[in-house]
Amino acid sequence: MIDAAPINRPHPLMWPVWFMLFVGLPATIAYWEARGPLALTSRTTLAPTARVRPATPPPAVQPVELYELDRDQARALNSATPFSRLPSPAARPFIFSGAPIDQARAIDCLAAAQLYEAGDDAVGERAVAQVVLNRVRHPAFPKTVCGVVFQGQERSTGCQFTFTCDGALARSPSQAAWNRARDIARAALTGQVFKPVGYATHYHTDWVVPYWSGSLDKIAAVDTHLFFRWRGWWGTPPAFRFSRASGEPLIPRIARLSAAHQADGPLIAGLPSMLLPGGGVAALVAQPQQSIGADAVGRMMAGARLITIAPGAKSFLVELSRDSQPDNWPTMAQTFCAGRPECRIMAWRAGNAPSRLPLTGDQMESMTFAYIHNAATGLQRSLWNCTQSPRASAGECMRQRNPAPVSAPDPTASVVAPILGGVRRKERFETVKIVPPAPAVTQGDLPAR
């Protein structure tokens, strides 16, 4: 009988080694690749050139041009563009500092951008606000909030935010929507950050393809909107340290929404004596407060009868006496508002006053006189209905409250959008105007990504 040759069995310690080589290592690689951007850190992913400020100036802001593609083609191209695998840190809090009038103007410019670009949608409005503030910090853009929002407004195809040059400002938002937008803007200017869009400076809807989209990094999607930042150093946090200008410009185009942007400016300390003989808002607020409660309803006070008090005792509806004179109405407002940090007076002629809240559109239109002040912002304003009481200065007249009529859509257009009854639809808050260039560009003509 011949003895069998001994079998060479592997050492027991080799089994774990083989397992790691043939199972563990491929699984580990697949796991890290699947994690995408979350697995990357600034130390391992940022190229050395991205950490050093280039000697060249900031990139130019591209003009508004789109590839002529239908929605399905545009969505397909946008879907084929991958998200950047580089980190996308949240922006640093933006704390506005400046005079009360500049703060009031910045709040209203930012609120207008949010509301007309995103519609009355809190998430979309916060995303728009973050992009605006990112631009304010970047040296490629204007140095003020209002300057960024209304950049290029004088050109039909050069505006950076569509609503500033496509006629959308002719439409009037509801007062409730405007107040909500201002609250979001105020929060963004006092440090609230919308983290999902990081340091994005550009965005558009997923059914258009701007010429600049292929040269920027796609970093986030919010609903149907895609957000981008510049590549290299100009898209990194160190690039967003540009100093902001101290004064916010006056934007007359939103004056009907914002007293801070009216041509003659809000009436603050140093106010003409014709309007408020007692001085500006600070002096008025420092005066003793009149006791005006429910027991005062129906009583005469300073030439006006109190009709009702709005909740919070900040707004008063009054009926003017028949022999009261228009130049004396600001003095009447002083009596009601003395000692109150916030106050609003709405007044009607005798026999034409409403009896209760809420007010109808016709009642608002027939209002004879209005006064408002806010000590926190320095806002102080008196306005007359100039169809009832003509004034020497147009700046003292109430503005038309009825929204401008909306024109019918062009029946020859390839895509007919529904007529908007208020602000633009929620899905329309792209930063580019949908005006395809000529001649048509086919998919084969698009640059490689």
Side-chain angles (χ1 to χ4, degrees), residues 175-211:
Q175 188 62 49
W178 176 245
N179 290 341
R180 284 190 290 270
R182 295 184 79 247
D183 288 342
I184 293 172
R186 190 178 292 105
L189 291 168
T190 54
Q192 189 173 96
V193 174
F194 187 69
K195 296 180 181 180
V197 302
Y199 281 94
T201 50
H202 297 69
Y203 63 92
H204 66 82
T205 54
D206 65 0
W207 63 75
V208 299
V209 181
Y211 275 78

Side-chain angles (χ1 to χ4, degrees), residues 48 90 164 193 244 354:
T164 66
V193 174
R244 183 180 60 83

Side-chain angles (χ1 to χ4, degrees), residues 14-35:
M14 291 299 295
W15 290 106
V17 174
W18 289 352
F19 179 83
M20 291 297 296
L21 270 173
F22 295 103
V23 179
L25 183 59
T28 301
I29 293 173
Y31 169 75
W32 282 99
E33 287 183 345
R35 289 186 67 184

Side-chain angles (χ1 to χ4, degrees), residues 238-300:
F240 292 80
R241 298 182 183 275
F242 207 62
S243 59
R244 183 180 60 83
S246 57
E248 290 286 334
L250 181 74
I251 308 294
R253 297 185 63 196
I254 59 171
R256 65 188 178 83
L257 299 174
S258 168
H261 286 281
Q262 291 176 2
D264 51 355
L267 306 180
I268 54 178
L271 169 80
S273 59
M274 178 191 70
L275 297 182
L276 284 175
V281 63
L284 181 59
V285 172
Q287 294 179 14
Q289 186 179 121
Q290 297 288 331
S291 177
I292 305 175
D295 59 333
V297 173
R299 287 168 41 191
M300 293 295 294

Side-chain angles (χ1 to χ4, degrees), residues 87-120:
S88 182
R92 292 177 293 112
F94 189 105
I95 308 296
F96 188 95
S97 60
I101 180 58
D102 291 321
Q103 183 180 39
R105 288 177 180 173
I107 288 171
D108 289 350
C109 282
L110 190 56
Q114 296 164 194
L115 190 55
Y116 281 93
E117 290 283 290
D120 189 13

Side-chain angles (χ1 to χ4, degrees), residues 119-131:
D120 189 13
D121 172 73
V123 175
E125 289 188 52
R126 291 182 63 196
V128 170
Q130 191 62 59
V131 169

Side-chain angles (χ1 to χ4, degrees), residues 257-441:
L257 299 174
S258 168
H261 286 281
Q262 291 176 2
D264 51 355
L267 306 180
I268 54 178
L271 169 80
S273 59
M274 178 191 70
L275 297 182
L276 284 175
V281 63
L284 181 59
V285 172
Q287 294 179 14
Q289 186 179 121
Q290 297 288 331
S291 177
I292 305 175
D295 59 333
V297 173
R299 287 168 41 191
M300 293 295 294
M301 183 182 300
R305 180 178 66 85
L306 179 62
I307 299 170
T308 189
I309 305 172
K314 296 178 182 178
S315 297
F316 303 90
L317 274 64
V318 302
E319 182 181 58
L320 300 164
S321 64
R322 296 185 183 277
D323 58 352
S324 64
Q325 297 299 312
D327 286 349
N328 295 332
W329 294 339
T331 303
M332 173 272 297
Q334 232 182 354
T335 303
F336 281 90
C337 293
R340 301 177 187 275
E342 295 181 53
C343 188
R344 180 190 295 268
I345 301 293
M346 292 176 281
W348 286 260
R349 289 191 180 278
N352 198 33
S355 59
R356 63 178 67 88
L357 292 169
L359 301 174
T360 67
D362 289 342
Q363 289 169 336
M364 291 291 292
E365 193 70 22
S366 65
M367 190 186 307
T368 302
F369 173 78
Y371 167 83
I372 185 172
H373 79 226
N374 187 315
T377 63
L379 171 66
Q380 193 172 35
R381 188 73 176 160
S382 290
L383 293 171
W384 287 256
N385 185 330
C386 290
T387 61
Q388 301 179 21
S389 305
R391 305 297 295 176
S393 171
E396 298 175 4
C397 298
M398 295 179 182
R399 283 173 166 77
Q400 180 69 33
R401 286 185 168 80
N402 290 330
V406 181
S407 58
D410 182 0
T412 64
S414 57
V415 177
V416 179
I419 297 177
L420 303 181
V423 298
R424 65 176 65 250
R425 295 168 297 166
K426 176 183 173 182
E427 70 265 26
R428 285 286 310 279
F429 68 106
E430 68 274 11
T431 58
V432 293
K433 186 174 178 63
I434 304 178
V435 180
V441 179

